[in-house]
Amino acid sequence: MTIYILKRFLLMIPTLIGVMLITFAITQFVPGGPVERMMATIEGHNAAGEATSGGTGLYQGKQGIDQERVEQLKKLYGFDKPPLQRFISMMKAYLVFDFGESYYHHQKVADLVISKLPVSMSLGLWSFLIVYSVCIPLGIHKAIHDGSRFDIFTSTVILVGYAIPGFVLGIVLIVLFGGGSFWNIFPLRGLVSDNWRQMSLIHQIFDYLWHMVLPITASTVSSLAVMTLLTKNSFLEEIRKQYVMTARAKGLTDHQVLYKHVFRNAIIPIITGFPGQFITAFFTGSLLIETIFSLDGMGLLAYESVLNRDYPVVLGTLYFFTIIGLISRLLSDLSYVWVDPRISFESQQ
């Protein structure tokens, strides 16, 4: 097992370099980079009458920006060096998690990401906990009562919820409960109220949960169907196998058969996705949900970074999240062994 884990870690290195190299290469061909955007901004300001004084200014009228100033801009953003040299320098800095400074926000990328994480962690972690705590018991109950009225009714409800996009449900919730046209029950923006720091601890907790109700509901409902039906089908497949009939013939109760035999086998495809889902829950963000409920999280940051060609943020977060993704995949594979000791990676060493 140790050799297998070591091999997986070694394979992460070329995978990570490959992902970063492809993304870096794409950014070299995308028009409207930071230098071009700065030049357009300067020309736009001067065209509007904000001309610089003197004949050696940055803007030269119809001639545009002086070439020397263009070279200064390239040097400012690091584009005065060959692409390969810039890529190698970038990867060296990333080894110590130095992601540089954002072109757009003018602060360190690491600090910027940390400032956005509370929103993404709140959305992701609560959604994760709700989905797993609801879907697994519900899926098991549906498998036991397959074809019953309860099974049909719950399937209809969760499939209707699955069919409604999260942002549409978010708008409906705002209209109904956010003071739109009906009840003004829940707040519409931010994680907490403006006077949150002046509240007592118990009031801070309730205020935070109060703000989370609508965005969590909007981001969770569509995920319930997938996990519930996966749980149901996995348990239903195991319940119909021969060893279950044999266990019942030996006098075991339905409860013993379900939780001593069926559960261990049926939970494998569900629990193996647990590590990856748990880790990514801390870092994922939903642009539409964050926009609708005025939450400044990772989803909005990623969108703004791509839109503004903020390459340090794009590449820095990609590097970090790729590492997280690779580690979560390894943990998912190792969870197979933890759930079912019959599985072994010894043959792959």
Side-chain angles (χ1 to χ4, degrees):
M1 178 63 71
T2 303
I3 298 177
Y4 173 77
I5 295 174
L6 181 60
K7 288 173 63 177
R8 286 292 298 270
F9 272 112
L10 292 176
L11 287 173
M12 290 180 186
I13 297 175
T15 303
L16 179 62
I17 294 176
V19 170
M20 296 304 300
L21 181 59
I22 292 173
T23 308
F24 181 83
I26 292 174
T27 60
Q28 306 307 302
F29 298 100
V30 175
V35 175
E36 290 81 0
R37 291 178 67 87
M38 180 59 71
M39 291 170 57
T41 300
I42 294 171
E43 290 178 348
H45 285 174
N46 283 274
E50 299 178 11
T52 55
S53 60
T56 60
L58 187 63
Y59 187 70
Q60 302 293 326
K62 293 184 178 180
Q63 297 179 1
I65 299 177
D66 182 78
Q67 184 61 33
E68 181 181 352
R69 301 296 185 178
V70 174
E71 295 302 324
Q72 291 178 359
L73 286 176
K74 290 183 178 180
K75 185 176 182 180
L76 175 65
Y77 291 110
F79 286 90
D80 57 324
K81 302 174 182 178
L84 181 59
Q85 183 179 349
R86 285 190 282 117
F87 178 76
I88 295 174
S89 300
M90 180 188 74
M91 293 303 295
K92 287 180 179 179
Y94 284 5
L95 286 176
V96 294
F97 294 96
D98 179 10
F99 302 126
E101 186 174 304
S102 167
Y103 296 155
Y104 182 72
H105 296 276
H106 304 293
Q107 64 180 109
K108 291 184 177 180
V109 174
D111 296 337
L112 185 61
V113 170
I114 292 174
S115 68
K116 308 294 183 181
L117 278 181
V119 171
S120 299
M121 290 174 61
S122 296
L123 289 174
L125 188 58
W126 281 113
S127 298
F128 169 83
L129 293 175
I130 291 173
V131 167
Y132 270 85
S133 60
V134 171
C135 293
I136 292 179
L138 179 60
I140 295 174
H141 198 70
K142 285 173 63 64
I144 296 173
H145 300 87
D146 181 46
S148 65
R149 291 183 178 179
F150 170 81
D151 180 39
I152 296 173
F153 174 76
T154 52
S155 295
T156 302
V157 172
I158 62 175
L159 288 176
V160 170
Y162 178 74
I164 302 175
F167 71 94
V168 174
L169 179 59
I171 295 173
V172 172
L173 292 174
I174 289 175
V175 172
L176 291 177
F177 305 108
S181 301
F182 294 87
W183 302 280
N184 187 10
I185 301 176
F186 298 102
L188 300 181
R189 58 185 303 113
L191 288 178
V192 293
S193 300
D194 295 335
N195 61 336
W196 186 78
R197 295 186 180 277
Q198 284 73 46
M199 298 179 181
S200 62
L201 179 60
I202 188 67
H203 283 91
Q204 286 180 340
I205 295 174
F206 277 106
D207 182 74
Y208 165 74
L209 296 175
W210 182 46
H211 280 75
M212 283 288 98
V213 171
L214 294 187
I216 293 300
T217 302
S219 61
T220 301
V221 169
S222 61
S223 303
L224 295 176
V226 176
M227 185 59 65
T228 301
L229 295 179
L230 174 63
T231 304
K232 176 193 172 182
N233 294 334
S234 180
F235 274 81
L236 199 59
E237 181 181 359
E238 291 296 323
I239 289 173
R240 293 171 176 173
K241 288 184 177 179
Q242 184 65 38
Y243 76 88
V244 175
M245 299 178 61
T246 303
R248 287 172 176 168
K250 290 182 178 181
L252 295 180
T253 64
D254 289 341
H255 185 273
Q256 290 175 323
V257 172
L258 179 64
Y259 290 102
K260 287 188 176 181
H261 297 278
V262 174
F263 187 86
R264 190 174 187 84
N265 295 323
I267 203 67
I268 291 176
I270 301 164
I271 203 67
T272 50
F274 186 93
Q277 292 291 333
F278 182 77
I279 292 176
T280 55
F282 286 90
F283 305 105
T284 55
S286 173
L287 170 62
L288 294 175
I289 297 297
E290 291 176 10
T291 302
I292 291 172
F293 293 99
S294 300
L295 299 172
D296 190 10
M298 291 300 300
L300 194 59
L301 176 63
Y303 174 74
E304 289 180 347
S305 301
V306 174
L307 195 65
N308 294 297
R309 306 294 191 268
D310 199 349
Y311 295 149
V313 177
V314 173
L315 295 170
T317 53
L318 176 66
Y319 177 86
F320 181 70
F321 293 151
T322 301
I323 292 177
I324 294 297
L326 292 172
I327 293 176
S328 66
R329 290 294 300 175
L330 174 60
L331 293 177
S332 296
D333 291 342
L334 295 179
S335 64
Y336 277 99
V337 180
W338 175 68
V339 174
D340 190 353
R342 296 172 298 176
I343 300 175
S344 174
F345 295 117
E346 297 297 331
S347 60
Q348 302 183 29
Q349 296 179 8

